[in-house]
Amino acid sequence: MRLIAIAALCATAVDVLWFFLFSRYNRRKGALVLRWVEAACATRARVVETKWSSRNCLQAQLHFAAHWFENARVTIKLLPRPLLVQWLVCLWRRQRETVTFEADLDDSPNFHLEISRHRWLTQKPKEISNPTRNWILSRPGPVVLTTRTEWTHELTPLVNTLMTSRGHNLLTVRFRPDSPHLSATIPLDALSGEETTASFLSVLRDLAAGSSASRQ
């Protein structure tokens, strides 16, 4: 019984230490990403409020200059490292840490649009790489699969922005007439500092401009 009690105490101590260390790690990582956001938009916006909605989710309200964004909010979602079982489940499901930007535009979009980007990667099978087979290989560009029965011209500027090199890391983009008008999510590992964060904000600005052009 004494050995069991000692083992239980040690396990509890390890769990508490694990929880404390990785809670601190998540907070430091979230604060670092938020500093990148502040530095990237220093001349255009400022952070007016921050709060942790959970130990792995940091939210910040941004105030942009006129004709940029209104009611802007950034949500940094980290892996639940302090809770070991949840962390392992997220790793098994290959969930990613993300940064989501939400804001209202000067003029609300008159359409609903939700774009999700998917990539399928595979290694060349031996049958294809076999030089004795006379395969004809084709290298297509990006393919757009849509649920719309008709493709309207106002969507073209938005899709073209996502097809550019600057927009290729976005996971999801959503436009809607209700607030927030624009929502975009990028994997956290695509941001490595002020420069890449500034590029992310530039893509958001291009998307907002594309939305405005679609109404003209």
Side-chain angles (χ1 to χ4, degrees), residues 64-136:
F64 277 85
H67 306 299
W68 272 77
F69 300 105
E70 299 177 0
N71 303 321
R73 180 177 68 181
V74 170
T75 301
I76 303 168
K77 189 172 183 180
L78 306 172
L79 292 177
R81 294 179 179 86
L83 304 176
L84 179 58
V85 175
Q86 290 187 14
W87 185 24
L88 294 177
V89 170
C90 290
L91 293 178
W92 179 69
R93 293 177 177 176
R94 297 183 180 181
Q95 294 182 3
R96 306 178 72 178
E97 296 179 312
T98 58
V99 176
T100 299
F101 179 89
E102 297 172 305
D104 291 332
L105 307 178
D106 289 340
D107 296 319
S108 61
N110 54 7
F111 56 87
H112 289 268
L113 176 65
E114 185 168 349
I115 301 174
S116 299
R117 299 180 63 98
H118 295 277
R119 293 180 181 179
W120 291 275
L121 302 177
T122 182
Q123 295 181 349
K124 293 181 179 180
K126 293 182 179 180
E127 291 80 3
I128 295 179
S129 59
N130 190 341
T132 61
R133 294 181 176 269
N134 188 22
W135 291 102
I136 300 177

